[in-house]
């Protein structure tokens, strides 16, 4: 039993598992923020643009429900495609926000501290200068003979 607990502790304390747990918690909180952004800010604006329409209420009724007074005998059978559209909008906004966050983080990672540049090596003679020097040396040797 002690060996089992020791193995579990080693597994749970691995860096990747802890990092993943932190990511899940932050992701859940971020999801709540984005859901609020969609429901409380974006969708009311979309509703005004579309004439006060609330997408989540759109549905295709397959079979009407049967009710007697306040008691529901047979519930309505419907495809709630408006809720699906709402979920797609939520997903697109969440994906866009995550894209922006990752792009920002990557930009911060790409900008390392400026390292002082090493002084440039002195430029050597060009090929033409070397050829002129060789020619002059050969002439000097020929003149000595």
């Amino acid at each position: 039993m002690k060996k089992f607990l020791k193995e579990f502790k080693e597994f749970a304390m691995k860096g990747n598992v802890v990092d993943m747990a932190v990511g899940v918690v932050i992701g859940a909180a971020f999801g709540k923020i984005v859901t609020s952004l969609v429901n409380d800010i974006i969708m009311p604006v979309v509703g005004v643009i579309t004439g006060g329409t609330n997408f989540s209420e759109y549905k295709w009724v397959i079979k009407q429900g049967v009710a007697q007074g306040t008691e529901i005998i047979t519930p309505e059978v419907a495809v709630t495609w408006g809720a699906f559209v709402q979920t797609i909008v939520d997903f697109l906004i969440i994906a866009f926000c995550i894209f922006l966050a990752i792009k920002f983080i990557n930009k911060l990672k790409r900008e390392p501290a400026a390292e002082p540049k090493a002084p440039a090596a002195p430029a050597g003679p060009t090929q033409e200068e070397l050829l002129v020097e060789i020619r002059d040396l050969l002439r000097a040797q020929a003149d000595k003979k």
Side-chain angles (χ1 to χ4, degrees), residues 41-91:
I41 296 173
I42 294 175
M43 288 314 286
V45 172
V46 170
V48 168
I49 292 171
T50 60
T53 309
N54 184 355
F55 283 106
S56 62
E57 295 175 359
Y58 283 124
K59 60 186 173 181
W60 173 50
V61 178
I62 298 172
K63 181 180 174 187
Q64 290 288 336
V66 177
Q68 282 184 343
T70 59
E71 185 180 343
I72 298 176
I73 306 297
T74 306
E76 175 182 77
V77 178
V79 175
T80 55
W81 63 271
F84 182 70
V85 169
Q86 177 74 32
T87 303
I88 290 173
V89 170
D90 288 353
F91 169 77

Side-chain angles (χ1 to χ4, degrees), residues 125-138:
T126 64
Q127 188 174 6
E128 289 80 18
E129 292 171 336
L130 289 173
L131 290 171
V132 168
E133 188 176 329
I134 291 170
R135 181 196 65 197
D136 293 343
L137 287 172
L138 289 173

